[in-house]
Structure formats: structure tokens, C-alpha cells
Amino acid sequence: MYILVLFLPLLSAIISGLFGRKIGTKGAGVLTSSCMVISALVSCCIFYETVLNSSAAYVKLWRWFDSELFTAYFGLHFDSLTATMLIVVTSVSALVHIYSTGYMSGDPHIPRFMSYLSLFTFLMIVLVTSENYVQLFIGWEGVGLCSYLLINFWLTRIKANKAAMKAMLINRVGDIGLILAMIKILAEFGALDFSTIYSIMSLNEWGDVYSNSVAVNKDSLTIICLLLFLGAVGKSAQLGLHTWLPDAMEGPTPVSALIHAATMVTAGVFLIIRSGPLFEGSPFALTVVTILGALTAFFAATTGVVQNDLKKVIAYSTCSQLGYMVMVCGLSNYSTSLFHLMNHAFFKALLFLSAGSVIHAVSDEQDMRKMGGLLKSVPFTYTMILIGSLSLMGFPYLTGFYSKDLILELTYDKYYVAFAYWLGSFSALLTAFYSMRLIYLTFMTDTNLKKEVLTKVHESTWNITLPLLLLAFGSIFVGYLGKEVIISNVIPPMISNSVKVVPLILSLFGALLAFVIYDRVTRGTSWEGAKHRRGIRNFVRVNSIMNVRSSLSEEKFERNFVSSLFHIVYTFFNSAWQFNYVINHFIVSNVWKFGHLVTYRIIDRGILETIGPKGIAKVLISLTQTISNYQSGMVFNYALIMIIFTTLFISGASVL
Amino acid sequence: MYYEYLTVGVILFILGVLGIVLNRSNLIIMLMSIELMLLAIAFLFLINSVVIDNLIGEIFTLMVLTVAAAESAIGLAILVAYYRVRGTIAVKSLNLLRG
């Protein structure tokens, strides 16, 4: 049964991929979905056995690497972390499979799509169930590969191609970190399987207490942890290597839901949680993790506020929530991070799939500025997206509340990273703001749709709405049901009531602010000249440039100055802190130039070729030309040469 | 006692060599220089044979004379044949086989 959870997605991927023509569109959908559902049920059983009955299982399959000092088995490792991840991966994946059969209907390549989705799930399961780093690396690379295939699913689109390449390449930067970390681990520990590493790390702790000898010294642990974290940064889209995540929205929406909500981006967090004992040995690495996580949360939240693409808002929101998870990992609260990961998977999948439903309803329009007024037409999707958003902003008694508030509390408890707390709290405010903004612009404001589109807006078929409904139940109840199971070992910190309600109040304030501002925008355009609205109006200019009418009867100079200032700020946030520009302009283009000018032109075609084949050929040719010129055809020259060399020969012979 | 004649032989030989090397105009001069070299060699053989009081040098000289006669016969034949083909016997025009 334990292998079945791994085997079924592989089977469905193979059948749907290789025999897609035989089983047809419908067959592929039914087959992959049912395999995935069975896999999800099996993972529920695994969860019951390993977590609730607390009996971890180890399945050793076969011996894989077998050299003198290093042996690695291909084995499966089911502990509570794996079981939780399995639940997340398989259930969200099963729902996404069902959803895709509806969402992708009409697409000519559904068997291929289903095959990729299943393969992706399989490799993610390989990642989470692996018992050593090498096997984890298979899954790690595999999900990168599948993300490439899936983002590039509509392979005729140049933007999809570029986005897929970007995702693959930026992930590869992180993968190098993971490879280097693996090499370093092998050098320090002599093993790559988790159980050995954990036991050596526990030796390390005892060594500190009882004698001065430790098994692994701190500096190399710090290096290992930083390299592992580099891997996690790439995969989990933390600040610096995050730029692939928003671009990856070029893929179909179910892909975004699967890759960028539930599975792939969580692999980085999973790696940190899995390597928790290593990170515990290195306080410096933990601090770095916290700082970068907090910065990511803040950065992505500020960027998400001003995005106009429906999916990009959610993508930045994912980035922000991943920042939370990484941040709390840095505070050594791995189970809280895992809990947030699980909850986040449910409500973020719900948000993505609902966004897909909206996009489906408005004839593939993704720009929020061109939506609006869908409340009456698609009330079900509205409800779903509202549940997802409320859960995301940590509304009490919904799923997000249980993990997000706990994360902020735990951050507050650690006095030395106080700024992480404030960044996190401000991100909570912004999260609420952009969630509300999304809902308002999509559903509540006056419609900006074309008439022919608006008349055709409709709810989707059952295989789109059913996953939404199930995920909505998940978004409501998973936090409450899971909190005793997963975070029972977390001791809530002692903090005063006033601090405890700060994130909640900030969230509610943010939501209210968004609502008020956008309400005023839509009505304020026809409502002129109120002095006390000036502040809000200027802020409005930041958030929705297109709604601003220059109808203010105020000083022109001040207005222009303020509006240009806000325009700069708006552009800065809208282009994601100019990260793409900076990276392209200062790194990528320079590397390209270096590659072309230095390594290709100067070294490869220049120096190496001059002293290599081309140069040798040139020298030899001129040499032979000179020598053969001695044979001039003139007999007297021949005679001279003969005499000279005979003389030399005779005199040389006499010398010898 | 006849050592001073050795110098004559050597000088004759060098004259023959220079005749081949410096001559650019006429093939007959080249053949004559070869004859001169052979003559110088025969002369050296004779002197040495007298000096060391040995007959082999003289026998060898007779053979050299024979060989020189045969050689000049063949050489002149080649020259005539060559002249028939090319119509000139200049050494400078003998450069068809350049490297």
C-alpha cells in the first residue's frame, strides 16, 4: 500500500502519455483522475497510520549506490512530515486533475496534459517520500522538469516558452546549491540518508554538552545549511530567485494551482523542514533564513497590491506566504511551517482554481481592470474566492488563521528578529488589502467587460465546481482539524492580548481599507471637489491609475508633483521592485556579453584557436612552403645544396 | 715529395665544383665541369698511388677514365635529346620540376 501511492501516479502518467491516442481525451481524464483519487485515499490511510497511530514506516526497496564508504538505498520513508506532505500533494493534485478535465476541455492535447500532471505528482511524491538526499534530488529535478513541460504546455506561445525556460534556469541556480550541499554533506557526514545524518547531528549536541569534541564542526554546518537554503530559495521563490514564479503564470491555470500553490514551491520549504536538524546546528543560517523569509513576505505583498493580472496577484500572494513559511522555519518552528504549508496549499489551490473559473467565465480575460460586476453572474465562484481570500488573510476560524497568526506570534516571541514580526504583520495587512482588491475589482465594481462577453458569463460545469467545493471545505476546516495533530508540540508563546490581536486587526484594517478605497474610486469619480478626500484620492492614484480622473479643483503643481511621485512608487511596485530589470540588466546581459565576447570570441575562437589547430596549421604550412622553395628546379642550386651537405656530413663525421 | 701536386688536384676539383654551381647558361659547361672534377679525382688517385707506392690507385684511375668516358657519352646523348625537345640547352630553362 505504501508503494501504491507512488506507483499509481506513475502508472497513469505512463499510460496517459504513451497510449493517450488509444484511450482518448475522456479516457485520459478519467484514468488519471481516478488514479489520483485512489492515491489520495491511500495517502489518507498512510496519514492515519503514521501520524495518528504514530508508527513511521520505512520501505527499503533496493540498493542503489554501493561504493566503499558510501551506500545509498532506494527507499521510502514515511514519517509524519512525509504523510502530511503526501496528503497535501495527492489531494490537491487529485482535485486539480478533476478540475483540468473540465477546464481544459476543448484543448487538443489533453492526454499529454494529464500525463504531465500525473508525472509531476509522481515526482513530487518521490521528493517527499525519499529517505536520502540523492533520491530527494531526483524528485527535486523532476518537478523542475515537469514545471518546464507544464508551463510550456501551450508550446506555440513564445511567452510560455520564455517563462518555462526562465523557471527551469532559475531553479537550476538553486539546484546547484543543493548539489553542492549534498557534496559537502557527503564529505562531512559520509552518508546522505536522513537517518544517519540525524543521528550524527544528535551526537553533535551531546558532544557539545559532555566533551569538547563535536562530530561536525559549526562552520561546515553553516556552509551546508546556506547551500541547502540556496536550493530552497530557488525552488520556493524567495527574494532574489523569485522572478520565475510570476512569469510561470503563463501556463494553464490548473498548472498554476498545482505547481505554484500546493506542490513545487513547497518543495523548498519541505527541504528546510527535512533538513531541520542540520539547520539547528547553525544559528547563523537560521537567522539568514528568517531574514530572507520576512523580506520575501514583505516584498511579495507590496508587489501583489498593485498587480493587475488576476493570476499574478495570487502568484505574488503565494510568494508572500512562502516567505512566512521560510521565516518561521528560521525560528526553528518547523511544524508550524509545515502546518502553514498544508493550509496554504488548500486555500491557495482554491484561489487559483477559482481564478481559473473566473477566467473561464469571462472568455480568457486575465486583466482585473477589464472585469467587474461578476457577483450576480457567478455567485458560486464568488463565494469560493471569498472563502479562499478570507482564509488567506487569516480571518478567525478559517484555516489561515490557525497557522498565520501562530507564525506571527512565534516571530514576536523572538526578540532578536523583531523586524521580521513587523514585516510579517505589515504583509498581513497588505495581504488582506490585495485579496479584497481582487474581489472588489473582479466581482463588485461596475463592469468593464464587453457586452458580448458579459452576456455569456456563466458558471462552469460540475467537474470545475466540485473541486472548488471540496477545496473550500478544506480551506474552512483543515486548520481546525489539523492543528491538534500537526502543531501539538508547539508551545504558544506568552504574549499579551494586545499583541495577539495586532495581526488580526491589521488584516481587518487592510481589508476594510481596500474596500473603502475602491468603493470611493468607483463612486468618487462622479463626486467632485471634496477637500477631505484628497489623501484618499492620491492614494487611489497609486492603486488604480486608470480610474483617476483629473477632476480635482486644487493646485495643479501640488497635484502633479504628488501624482508623479505616486506614479514612480506605483511603477516600482508594479514591476516587482524592478527585480527583473536589475537582474536582466546587471547580471543576465553582462553574462551574455561575457559569454559571447570573452569566452566565445576571445578565448574559444581567439586564444585557443590561435595556439591550437589554426595556429599550428598556419605555422606548418608556411614552414613547408619555405622548405619546398629550396627545390627551385635549378640544377646548380641542387648541386650547391648537395655539396654543402656533403661537406657538412664529412666534417660532421670527422668530428664524431 | 709529390705532395704539392695534391693542391693542384684539389684546386682543379674546386674549379669543377664552382663551374657547376656558378654556371647558369650552358649545359655543356656543366658536363665539362663534371669531366674536370673526374679528371681532378683521377689525378689525385694517381698522385696518391705514386706517393704510397701502390698500384690500386692507377687501376682505379683507369676505371674512372672508362666511367668518365661512358658518362660523358650518355650525358651528351641526353643533352642532344634534350636539345631536340626544347630547342635550347640553357641550364636556367631546366626548372620544370619546381618544389
Side-chain angles (χ1 to χ4, degrees):
Chain A
M1 190 188 82
Y2 283 92
I3 302 177
L4 201 63
V5 73
L6 202 71
F7 181 66
L8 275 177
L10 179 64
L11 185 76
S12 73
I14 289 173
I15 291 180
S16 172
L18 295 183
F19 307 107
R21 217 175 271 256
K22 297 252 167 50
I23 57 177
T25 302
K26 195 156 189 182
V30 170
L31 175 83
T32 51
S33 303
S34 51
C35 277
M36 227 33 85
V37 168
I38 296 170
S39 187
L41 292 178
V42 170
S43 70
C44 283
C45 292
I46 292 174
F47 186 79
Y48 172 77
E49 285 192 3
T50 56
V51 179
L52 300 184
N53 292 345
S54 59
S55 60
Y58 302 91
V59 184
K60 275 212 158 64
L61 288 179
W62 62 80
R63 195 178 270 230
W64 188 13
F65 292 116
D66 190 8
S67 74
E68 292 282 319
L69 293 172
F70 168 59
T71 314
Y73 286 88
F74 201 92
L76 307 177
H77 173 103
F78 294 92
D79 55 2
S80 51
L81 170 60
T82 302
T84 315
M85 288 297 287
L86 271 183
I87 288 265
V88 170
V89 172
T90 51
S91 58
V92 171
S93 166
L95 293 174
V96 167
H97 272 78
I98 297 170
Y99 180 91
S100 317
T101 57
Y103 187 83
M104 300 296 284
S105 64
D107 195 282
H109 302 294
I110 288 182
R112 178 163 70 95
F113 185 70
M114 287 304 186
S115 168
Y116 288 167
L117 282 184
S118 296
L119 187 66
F120 181 85
T121 315
F122 164 69
L123 288 164
M124 190 68 197
I125 294 171
V126 168
L127 197 158
V128 296
T129 56
S130 62
E131 62 139 33
N132 53 37
Y133 277 105
V134 195
Q135 196 182 334
L136 183 142
F137 191 69
I138 295 180
W140 187 269
E141 287 295 305
V143 292
L145 168 72
C146 284
S147 79
Y148 174 80
L149 294 173
L150 281 171
I151 295 166
N152 203 5
F153 177 68
W154 289 316
L155 43 87
T156 47
R157 297 174 60 206
I158 190 82
K159 270 185 97 178
N161 283 311
K162 281 183 180 168
M165 277 190 272
K166 190 172 180 183
M168 192 80 177
L169 290 176
I170 293 183
N171 268 307
R172 197 61 69 252
V173 175
D175 295 343
I176 289 169
L178 182 55
I179 293 171
L180 291 177
M182 273 162 54
I183 294 170
K184 186 76 181 160
I185 287 172
L186 193 59
E188 290 292 326
F189 292 86
L192 280 176
D193 46 336
F194 299 128
S195 47
T196 317
I197 292 170
Y198 294 168
S199 18
I200 293 174
M201 282 309 294
S202 63
L203 276 182
N204 223 24
E205 279 165 29
W206 290 113
D208 261 341
V209 176
Y210 288 116
S211 64
N212 283 327
S213 68
V214 287
V216 182
N217 72 339
K218 291 262 177 203
D219 292 339
S220 45
L221 260 186
T222 305
I223 292 170
I224 289 173
C225 292
L226 287 179
L227 288 171
L228 280 175
F229 183 56
L230 176 63
V233 164
K235 201 60 103 183
S236 282
Q238 298 298 301
L239 197 65
L241 297 180
H242 68 277
T243 50
W244 66 273
L245 185 64
D247 282 23
M249 292 299 120
E250 288 302 324
T253 312
V255 172
S256 311
L258 187 60
I259 299 186
H260 309 114
T263 44
M264 183 171 162
V265 290
T266 59
V269 182
F270 173 80
L271 181 71
I272 299 180
I273 298 174
R274 188 50 108 193
S275 317
L278 291 175
F279 277 90
E280 285 310 293
S282 163
F284 174 71
L286 282 177
T287 317
V288 171
V289 169
T290 313
I291 289 172
L292 208 64
L295 282 176
T296 310
F298 176 67
F299 150 77
T302 53
T303 311
V305 165
V306 292
Q307 294 300 313
N308 290 320
D309 190 311
L310 185 61
K311 283 171 79 179
K312 282 214 171 141
V313 174
I314 307 176
Y316 278 110
S317 154
T318 303
C319 201
S320 172
Q321 300 302 312
L322 287 167
Y324 275 112
M325 292 174 212
V326 169
M327 179 172 88
V328 80
C329 273
L331 304 173
S332 309
N333 278 291
Y334 303 103
S335 45
T336 316
S337 175
L338 179 66
F339 188 47
H340 193 56
L341 195 160
M342 181 178 179
N343 300 341
H344 171 257
F346 282 101
F347 58 69
K348 194 48 63 74
L350 175 63
L351 276 175
F352 263 119
L353 295 185
S354 313
S357 180
V358 171
I359 292 166
H360 206 55
V362 297
S363 315
D364 296 337
E365 175 60 59
Q366 292 199 14
D367 200 327
M368 286 199 296
R369 292 170 298 190
K370 296 182 191 159
M371 293 182 186
L374 296 176
L375 185 52
K376 291 270 164 51
S377 335
V378 282
F380 176 77
T381 310
Y382 167 71
T383 317
M384 293 301 123
I385 220 166
L386 187 66
I387 291 172
S389 295
L390 287 177
S391 195
L392 170 66
M393 60 180 103
F395 196 76
Y397 310 117
L398 289 180
T399 294
F401 175 71
Y402 292 99
S403 52
K404 196 171 169 183
D405 263 21
L406 185 60
I407 287 176
L408 289 174
E409 283 167 26
L410 289 167
T411 323
Y412 183 79
D413 195 35
K414 295 284 191 287
Y415 58 91
Y416 57 87
V417 283
F419 93 106
Y421 172 73
W422 290 112
L423 282 185
S425 302
F426 192 60
S427 316
L429 189 151
L430 293 175
T431 307
F433 188 91
Y434 63 66
S435 302
M436 224 52 217
R437 173 173 177 268
L438 189 151
I439 289 178
Y440 196 88
L441 285 182
T442 315
F443 291 102
M444 295 185 180
T445 185
D446 295 340
T447 187
N448 286 315
L449 283 168
K450 290 181 198 142
K451 191 184 171 194
E452 56 264 34
V453 175
L454 189 62
T455 47
K456 275 192 276 178
V457 169
H458 60 284
E459 287 285 2
S460 314
T461 47
W462 69 269
N463 42 11
I464 287 186
T465 49
L466 178 70
L468 289 186
L469 196 63
L470 293 176
L471 281 172
F473 280 123
S475 305
I476 298 172
F477 295 117
V478 161
Y480 177 70
L481 295 175
K483 80 176 187 325
E484 287 304 324
V485 180
I486 298 176
I487 53 170
S488 53
N489 59 344
V490 175
I491 304 153
M494 303 275 207
I495 53 175
S496 62
N497 280 338
S498 55
V499 175
K500 189 167 171 50
V501 295
V502 162
L504 184 61
I505 287 177
L506 280 177
S507 296
L508 290 178
F509 175 70
L512 208 63
L513 193 68
F515 198 77
V516 166
I517 285 172
Y518 283 94
D519 206 36
R520 290 279 182 249
V521 170
T522 35
R523 254 179 266 150
T525 47
S526 59
W527 186 65
E528 296 180 12
K531 283 270 179 188
H532 62 281
R533 294 282 171 221
R534 199 171 64 192
I536 290 178
R537 250 166 221 277
N538 286 331
F539 194 48
V540 162
R541 209 170 277 130
V542 181
N543 287 298
S544 57
I545 289 291
M546 62 162 294
N547 279 331
V548 170
R549 306 273 169 82
S550 54
S551 57
L552 295 175
S553 53
E554 291 163 10
E555 291 173 67
K556 236 186 168 105
F557 170 75
E558 187 197 350
R559 201 181 62 198
N560 284 343
F561 175 72
V562 170
S563 92
S564 71
L565 186 71
F566 275 118
H567 189 255
I568 289 167
V569 174
Y570 176 84
T571 318
F572 180 67
F573 284 140
N574 193 30
S575 54
W577 289 20
Q578 304 285 9
F579 257 101
N580 272 321
Y581 176 77
V582 169
I583 289 175
N584 286 343
H585 196 259
F586 289 104
I587 298 176
V588 175
S589 73
N590 281 338
V591 169
W592 269 3
K593 271 186 202 150
F594 181 81
H596 182 72
L597 290 178
V598 178
T599 57
Y600 176 67
R601 275 215 203 148
I602 294 180
I603 294 178
D604 224 33
R605 300 292 310 276
I607 297 170
L608 286 181
E609 198 141 319
T610 313
I611 63 171
K614 216 174 197 173
I616 289 175
K618 223 179 216 169
V619 168
L620 278 183
I621 285 171
S622 65
L623 198 68
T624 49
Q625 202 69 52
T626 324
I627 290 172
S628 79
N629 276 344
Y630 283 108
Q631 196 177 6
S632 59
M634 308 286 187
V635 179
F636 39 86
N637 280 354
Y638 297 166
L640 183 64
I641 292 166
M642 271 187 248
I643 287 161
I644 287 171
F645 280 94
T646 315
T647 319
L648 283 180
F649 177 70
I650 292 167
S651 56
S654 68
V655 166
L656 287 173
Chain B
M1 50 191 169
Y2 297 106
Y3 285 124
E4 53 268 25
Y5 295 110
L6 280 178
T7 324
V8 177
V10 170
I11 286 172
L12 276 179
F13 186 80
I14 288 173
L15 274 178
V17 166
L18 289 177
I20 289 181
V21 171
L22 299 179
N23 163 41
R24 318 232 142 172
S25 59
N26 214 329
L27 264 176
I28 294 177
I29 295 179
M30 193 175 272
L31 278 176
M32 284 157 68
S33 302
I34 290 169
E35 287 301 313
L36 187 60
M37 282 159 71
L38 285 169
L39 180 71
I41 285 167
F43 188 59
L44 286 172
F45 269 123
L46 282 179
I47 289 167
N48 278 315
S49 129
V50 170
V51 167
I52 63 174
D53 198 15
N54 192 343
L55 266 180
I56 287 184
E58 285 157 34
I59 294 167
F60 219 84
T61 306
L62 282 175
M63 221 164 82
V64 167
L65 284 180
T66 326
V67 168
E71 182 254 314
S72 57
I74 293 172
L76 279 170
I78 290 173
L79 192 145
V80 170
Y82 176 71
Y83 177 74
R84 281 209 191 122
V85 174
R86 295 290 299 267
T88 171
I89 51 167
V91 184
K92 267 193 276 187
S93 62
L94 265 175
N95 60 357
L96 281 177
L97 297 173
R98 242 204 319 262

